[in-house]
Amino acid sequence: MPAWKNAERTAIGLTLLLMAMSAFAQTGGFGVSELDIRVEDQLVLADARIDYALSTTAAEALENGVALVIVQRLRLQTARWWWGDAVVVSQQRRYRLQYHAISRRYVLTRLESGESRSYRSLDALLLRLGRIQAWPVVRLDRLDEGEDYRLRLDTGLEVDELPRLLRMVAWINPDWRLRSEPRYRELSP
Amino acid sequence: MMQLPRQAIVRILLSVLLILSLYLLSAATENSVRFGRLYLWLLLINGVVLVALLALIVNNLWRLVRSVRARETGSRLTLRLMALFVVLAVVPGLVVYGFSMQFLQRGVDSWFDVRVENALDDALALSQASLDQRMRDMQQRLQDAARDLADVTEEMAPITLGDLRARTGASELALLGENGRIIAASSVDTGNILPHRPEDSILLQLRQGRPYVGLDPIENAGLHIRALVPAPGPGGPGSSRVLQGLFQVSPRIDNLAAEVETAFSEYRELAYLRGPLKDSFSLTLSLVLLLSLLFAVWSAFYLARRLVAPVSRLAEGTRAMAAGEYGTQLAPGGNDELGYLVRSFNDMSRRVADVRDAARHSQELVESQRAYLETVLGRLSSGVLALAPDGSLRTYNQAASAILSVPLSEGVGRPLSALVNRYPDFGPFADLVAGDRQSPDSEWRAELSLDTGEGRRALICSGATLPGEGDRGGEVIVFDDVTTLIQAQRDAAWGEVARRLAHEIRNPLTPIQLSAERLQHKVGTRLSGDEAVLLQRSTETIIHQVEAMKEMVQAFSEYARPPALRPQAVDLNALVREVVELYRGEPEQPAFRLDLDEDLPWLQADPGRLRQLLNNLLRNALEAGEAGHCRVVVSTRQGSGRFADMIELDVQDNGPGFAESMLNQLFEPYVSTKPRGSGLGLAIVKKIVEEHNGMIGARNVDGGARISVRLPRVMPGDARQGNEQ
């Protein structure tokens, strides 16, 4: 009875999907959903969308005054047949997430510039954090023509920036293992 | 100075390292910046050490269990000590651990006071309430300003905004159009051209007609109040213009709010980190305790082994001693009481070995003394007998056996009388000793004539009581065979007599003979008839008798002065046969039986003298026998026992035997029982035997007399010739 079997399979699949979703909601996770390259005025720019979802544990820690640091790493690399990829450009943006109790707002600070913005909700903050627009990667004239380049973007929570006591827990607890798989985009100038 | 064993040094080093790492771990636990980075590594290292220690302990335990099963010396004591050490280390450790854990939990909890928490919450609420008031004020001001903008066009807006900003005291005013587009802005900070844009959700809220006011912490600029109100333009309420104002909170309030914010968030963070903090402390404490305990257990194995080692060695040593391995030395074991015990054991063992050696030495000494005494006694020509207090034979020397002609070895441990049954000749000696033992005197002397297999012997015996336990110890009897001595004295006397007689008698004989011949010559011619016959007969008688006397004197003379010996190799059997052949035709018709040893070796002797010896013996035997029924047995053989290097010759007749009274003087001159004979025959035989260093004896046997002669194969002083032959 294939129909019955199919129904059963579907049910099991749905259950598994639900379980995975609930697990995802609990444990959170980062993922680079889009990565695009465009060139403007001889400048290679990257646009990206990153889905940030903090795990309950991390969100709780943030509510309780623990500052979280999230880093976004962008790399332009070329393949080498005789060795690992050569990195042409390596950039990173570090953001600090903080809860401001008096104003009841979440503050996002870019650590390189000290520039900060506050948000009414954590989701608004994460949405803003996940929207990367026109990240200048490299000037086009620095790239060799005919060479194949690969842009790589990944992001993750900096466990080393956590308070030391929490760091130990973070090494062990998977709730704190918040990092995305790298996403690649080919670039051939 | 005591030298630590290598293992102990390694252990001390390890424990120092362990303590150092534990110190670092605890330092890292206490939020120290310096060691904070090390924490994970320290955890890892200590974890590895923990596993290594566990492995070591399991290994040790396995070895211990195996040795206990194999019943090795000291293994059970090690196990017991080990268990004791472990209990002593683990129980207090666990108690301390339990209390520490409790204190830790309570101590950490006690830092977070509920009242402090409430106070901080209140302070936060107070701050918020205070700021809420200001926010409402600011919102009111902004709404007033928005009304003033109602009829201001976009072109005029920047100028109006500048006035409004001054009037409202805002640090920034901005007029936003559709989708947050900035129409105009005015800011205190002239360098900042772009105003702080509100987030989309606020604009959404404004689009729904609801004003917004809220605090906005702006980095480096302090706390600001952000207010947004709808600001309808000249186009009426339908236009979606929004006026945003940023008002700086007064510095004093800003500072206060910042402090409250800092204190609150720090406290919240601390309270939140309470769990991990406790976990971290607990982990460190558990790790420290576990490592210490495991190290203690591991060291307990070592210590127990180290403590038990001398005891095991002692046990092994004792076992070795019990098995007779005296002098066993154990490895020295430290300066404590166990070490002292080991040293004492070694001393004891050494002394026992010394005593054993001394005993062995003295035993050897006694043995050598005994051997020495035996050698001396054996070399003595005198016979020596030692009797036990009960009269049994204890020891004797070879000479005693030889003199008495009795194998005394058969009588050791038995009374002398026990030998008499088998050896009747021994009787007189045994009787003498028994008789003298009865006497109360401690010393005695006696002379004894003993009939032995080798002939009659004259013995001089002396006895003395030996000192011993009780009233009477044993007895020692010393005796000498003086037969030869007495014989020599007699021979010397007879030699002198013979020489004198020969000298004294020979002198007148010649004149007597000459006188008788002259008488015959001168007177015989004048006489006639019977007278002449008488004279003839008388002078012949005189002359014959003088001749006889001359022969006798010659014999005496020969006896006294024998010719020099000319020894050479002689086949005694051939000589016997030759001499016997001469006697076969005798008128007595003697019957000879020759019992000759065909393997008889030749001997060194003077053949002429031996021939005379045989002649004399055979004649002696023939004369003893009854005419017509005379039977003589001549036998030769190789000597045995102590006479192994001698040749024995026996001549036995079937005559009446020697008279008992004569046995003592049988070989003296002029001792004869026979009507015929000079009486010198056996004396000369004896003389010849003595010239050849032999021995002679005579005894009566069943149906006759037997004379035994023993001659050495090689004459002393003539060994070279004997060897050559």
Side-chain angles (χ1 to χ4, degrees):
Chain A
M1 285 182 279
W4 182 84
K5 275 210 163 177
N6 273 346
E8 190 184 46
R9 254 183 226 164
T10 317
I12 292 172
L14 273 175
T15 315
L16 282 174
L17 188 69
L18 277 174
M19 277 168 71
M21 278 174 74
S22 69
F24 187 79
Q26 272 187 352
T27 54
F30 299 171
V32 184
S33 55
E34 283 175 28
L35 176 61
D36 292 316
I37 301 173
R38 61 194 158 95
V39 181
E40 261 181 33
D41 301 336
Q42 288 295 305
L43 197 62
V44 178
L45 301 172
D47 297 320
R49 274 190 76 85
I50 304 174
D51 300 325
Y52 284 107
L54 289 184
S55 63
T56 333
T57 318
E60 194 187 332
L62 187 67
E63 302 269 328
N64 279 289
V66 177
L68 308 181
V69 173
I70 288 174
V71 65
Q72 296 169 342
R73 282 177 287 265
L74 189 71
R75 267 190 209 170
L76 189 66
Q77 52 201 37
T78 53
R80 277 188 301 205
W81 60 267
W82 51 275
W83 196 251
D85 291 351
V87 177
V88 182
V89 172
S90 175
Q91 293 175 2
Q92 63 173 18
R93 289 178 173 178
R94 296 161 68 80
Y95 294 95
R96 187 177 68 213
L97 279 68
Q98 237 173 333
Y99 179 66
H100 196 260
I102 284 186
S103 62
R104 300 189 191 89
R105 288 174 76 88
Y106 294 89
V107 183
L108 177 69
T109 310
R110 184 152 167 211
L111 290 176
E112 284 88 9
S113 60
E115 171 195 346
S116 79
R117 284 208 67 171
S118 63
Y119 298 88
R120 271 210 296 189
S121 70
L122 181 60
D123 288 339
L125 183 147
L126 291 176
L127 202 67
R128 174 64 193 82
L129 182 63
R131 214 165 56 218
I132 297 173
Q133 281 181 320
W135 183 337
V137 183
V138 65
R139 289 192 65 82
L140 203 58
D141 51 22
R142 271 193 61 198
L143 302 180
D144 299 331
E145 256 183 71
E147 183 88 48
D148 289 333
Y149 293 92
R150 217 151 65 122
L151 191 68
R152 177 190 194 276
L153 176 68
D154 71 312
T155 182
L157 179 79
E158 288 274 86
V159 173
D160 284 345
E161 296 289 341
L162 289 172
R164 198 193 44 74
L165 285 172
L166 212 53
R167 220 178 295 158
M168 200 174 61
V169 180
W171 279 106
I172 305 160
N173 193 343
D175 281 358
W176 284 100
R177 217 160 293 149
L178 296 170
R179 63 173 65 100
S180 74
E181 289 295 311
R183 198 174 178 91
Y184 299 94
R185 185 65 64 195
E186 306 298 329
L187 171 64
S188 306
Chain B
M1 200 178 129
M2 199 183 76
Q3 195 153 9
L4 278 171
R6 226 178 61 189
Q7 221 185 353
I9 294 172
V10 168
R11 269 160 208 269
I12 288 169
L13 261 174
L14 272 179
S15 58
V16 167
L17 276 177
L18 191 68
I19 287 168
L20 189 72
S21 111
L22 290 178
Y23 165 73
L24 287 176
L25 191 68
S26 65
T29 309
E30 290 164 10
N31 216 357
S32 154
V33 181
R34 224 180 331 159
F35 302 120
R37 286 167 185 279
L38 286 175
Y39 190 75
L40 207 73
W41 283 109
L42 287 169
L43 272 182
L44 201 71
I45 289 168
N46 283 313
V48 169
V49 170
L50 194 92
V51 171
L53 272 175
L54 262 173
L56 277 173
I57 287 168
V58 167
N59 176 35
N60 273 301
L61 202 64
W62 169 241
R63 271 165 55 196
L64 187 60
V65 166
R66 216 170 39 183
S67 63
V68 167
R69 277 194 192 156
R71 296 179 175 277
E72 277 174 25
T73 317
S75 56
R76 283 197 221 166
L77 191 59
T78 311
L79 187 66
R80 205 177 297 167
L81 271 177
M82 169 65 215
L84 196 70
F85 285 153
V86 168
V87 167
L88 279 180
V90 170
V91 171
L94 286 180
V95 169
V96 170
Y97 176 69
F99 276 97
S100 307
M101 219 51 178
Q102 215 172 348
F103 282 135
L104 189 105
Q105 301 283 346
R106 284 190 190 158
V108 171
D109 284 342
S110 71
W111 297 344
F112 302 96
D113 198 331
V114 178
R115 282 176 298 178
V116 175
E117 204 168 337
N118 288 341
L120 276 172
D121 283 345
D122 293 346
L124 189 75
L126 189 63
S127 310
Q128 284 169 339
S130 137
L131 286 167
D132 278 352
Q133 184 58 44
R134 288 187 65 81
M135 287 193 303
R136 274 194 298 276
D137 288 351
M138 294 307 146
Q139 189 185 7
Q140 191 58 52
R141 277 191 212 174
L142 201 63
Q143 271 172 344
D144 292 347
R147 272 193 292 275
D148 290 347
L149 280 171
D151 47 0
V152 176
T153 58
E154 288 187 7
E155 293 77 27
M156 288 299 292
I159 303 161
T160 317
L161 275 182
D163 292 346
L164 286 175
R165 189 184 58 76
R167 205 177 68 197
T168 53
S171 56
E172 185 189 294
L173 273 183
L175 187 64
L176 306 174
E178 294 273 336
N179 299 325
R181 178 178 58 87
I182 297 164
I183 297 166
S186 170
S187 175
V188 176
D189 183 7
T190 47
N192 193 359
I193 299 164
L194 283 174
H196 289 93
R197 274 175 60 87
E199 57 200 289
D200 295 342
S201 62
I202 296 174
L203 288 176
L204 194 69
Q205 181 183 334
L206 263 293
R207 219 168 286 147
Q208 290 164 353
R210 290 184 290 133
Y212 167 85
V213 66
L215 288 168
D216 196 354
I218 294 171
E219 196 76 26
N220 302 328
L223 198 60
H224 282 72
I225 296 169
R226 185 190 291 266
L228 282 99
V229 291
S239 69
S240 54
R241 288 201 313 184
V242 169
L243 182 63
Q244 174 186 262
L246 277 174
F247 301 91
Q248 191 166 19
V249 177
S250 70
R252 188 176 136 71
I253 291 183
D254 185 29
N255 282 342
L256 285 174
E259 276 177 25
V260 169
E261 167 68 29
T262 311
F264 181 79
S265 64
E266 276 182 4
Y267 187 84
R268 282 294 292 271
E269 188 183 348
L270 273 179
Y272 175 73
L273 291 177
R274 183 176 6 172
L277 182 70
K278 280 198 272 187
D279 290 349
S280 163
F281 276 140
S282 304
L283 185 69
T284 307
L285 184 64
S286 307
L287 204 63
V288 167
L289 178 96
L290 208 58
L291 277 174
S292 307
L293 284 188
L294 288 182
F295 191 79
V297 170
W298 182 50
S299 299
F301 276 107
Y302 170 71
L303 282 178
R305 279 221 185 86
R306 214 172 131 68
L307 270 177
V308 171
V311 179
S312 302
R313 287 206 298 274
L314 271 175
E316 294 282 353
T318 316
R319 199 176 291 164
M321 284 278 282
E325 290 170 31
Y326 305 122
T328 305
Q329 292 292 299
L330 305 179
N335 288 324
D336 54 0
E337 282 73 10
L338 278 173
Y340 174 74
L341 209 56
V342 168
R343 281 199 297 281
S344 299
F345 177 86
N346 284 346
D347 276 357
M348 180 191 74
S349 176
R350 199 180 307 118
R351 281 183 196 179
V352 168
D354 286 350
V355 167
R356 179 201 53 190
D357 290 345
R360 194 180 287 163
H361 182 69
S362 60
Q363 200 177 344
E364 280 168 6
L365 207 64
V366 167
E367 284 293 326
S368 75
Q369 288 284 346
R370 189 183 154 82
Y372 171 75
L373 208 59
E374 269 185 10
T375 312
V376 168
L377 283 177
R379 296 288 164 195
L380 273 183
S381 59
S382 306
V384 178
L385 292 184
L387 301 181
D390 61 351
S392 58
L393 179 62
R394 185 183 264 178
T395 184
Y396 63 95
N397 66 352
Q398 281 301 317
S401 242
I403 291 170
L404 296 173
S405 289
V406 168
L408 285 170
S409 55
E410 294 174 17
V412 173
R414 296 194 290 167
L416 292 180
S417 53
L419 284 168
V420 176
N421 291 334
R422 287 190 63 182
Y423 306 98
D425 296 345
F426 185 59
F429 184 82
D431 293 343
L432 174 76
V433 172
D436 285 311
R437 270 173 52 79
Q438 304 298 325
S439 74
D441 297 334
S442 62
E443 289 190 17
W444 52 267
R445 271 181 89 81
E447 288 185 17
L448 177 71
S449 185
L450 196 66
D451 204 6
T452 71
E454 284 85 39
R456 206 170 183 79
R457 281 188 175 153
L459 305 182
I460 293 176
C461 309
S462 64
T465 311
L466 289 171
E469 63 272 18
D471 50 344
R472 195 178 176 93
E475 201 165 5
V476 63
I477 298 151
V478 181
F479 49 93
D480 282 296
D481 181 3
V482 292
T483 319
T484 325
L485 189 66
I486 291 169
Q487 200 61 51
Q489 285 171 351
R490 279 193 184 146
D491 290 350
W494 272 112
E496 185 62 22
V497 168
R499 199 179 55 78
R500 287 208 171 190
L501 266 178
H503 182 72
E504 295 299 329
I505 292 170
R506 189 183 295 164
N507 285 351
L509 281 183
T510 309
I512 291 171
Q513 192 183 4
L514 284 175
S515 298
E517 282 172 353
R518 219 162 92 196
L519 197 66
Q520 172 69 34
H521 184 69
K522 295 278 185 186
V523 182
T525 52
R526 291 179 205 163
L527 295 178
S528 60
D530 291 341
E531 289 173 340
V533 172
L534 179 66
L535 181 67
Q536 176 77 24
R537 203 183 298 148
S538 299
T539 51
E540 275 182 5
T541 303
I542 289 168
I543 287 167
H544 280 148
Q545 289 304 317
V546 166
E547 280 295 328
M549 282 188 78
K550 270 188 177 174
E551 273 180 29
M552 192 179 73
V553 167
Q554 186 60 35
F556 265 110
S557 166
E558 277 178 13
Y559 175 77
R561 207 168 358 78
L565 280 185
R566 281 184 293 274
Q568 62 187 74
V570 176
D571 182 1
L572 185 63
N573 286 348
L575 203 62
V576 168
R577 287 193 193 96
E578 189 186 320
V579 175
V580 166
E581 209 51 46
L582 291 176
Y583 286 89
R584 288 210 191 272
E586 286 288 309
E588 289 90 352
Q589 297 286 318
F592 286 101
R593 186 159 72 87
L594 300 185
D595 188 6
L596 304 178
D597 182 359
E598 291 306 323
D599 297 329
L600 196 70
W602 290 29
L603 79 162
Q604 280 290 320
D606 186 333
R609 304 288 284 168
L610 277 193
R611 193 185 299 274
Q612 189 178 356
L613 177 139
L614 282 168
N615 269 324
N616 286 9
L617 282 177
L618 289 176
R619 188 170 292 124
N620 182 66
L622 291 176
E623 283 170 357
E626 198 182 330
H629 299 91
C630 195
R631 272 197 309 113
V632 178
V633 180
V634 181
S635 58
T636 60
R637 65 186 167 275
Q638 168 90 44
S640 61
R642 60 196 174 98
F643 305 116
D645 52 354
M646 289 190 136
I647 285 171
E648 293 177 355
L649 169 74
D650 284 356
V651 177
Q652 189 178 333
D653 59 39
N654 60 344
F658 302 112
E660 189 63 29
S661 59
M662 278 181 59
L663 272 173
N664 275 342
Q665 306 116 19
L666 198 62
F667 297 106
E668 287 173 15
Y670 292 100
V671 174
S672 178
T673 50
K674 298 179 285 275
R676 297 170 287 165
S678 64
L680 275 173
L682 288 181
I684 287 169
V685 164
K686 179 170 175 288
K687 201 158 176 56
I688 292 170
V689 169
E690 284 171 354
E691 281 164 7
H692 286 84
N693 289 310
M695 290 186 266
I696 190 164
R699 65 186 319 187
N700 289 327
V701 290
D702 290 339
R706 181 165 67 197
I707 292 176
S708 302
V709 171
R710 282 200 180 92
L711 292 171
R713 284 172 50 201
V714 179
M715 286 175 66
D718 202 23
R720 190 182 52 80
Q721 284 184 0
N723 286 342
E724 278 174 2
Q725 190 228 340

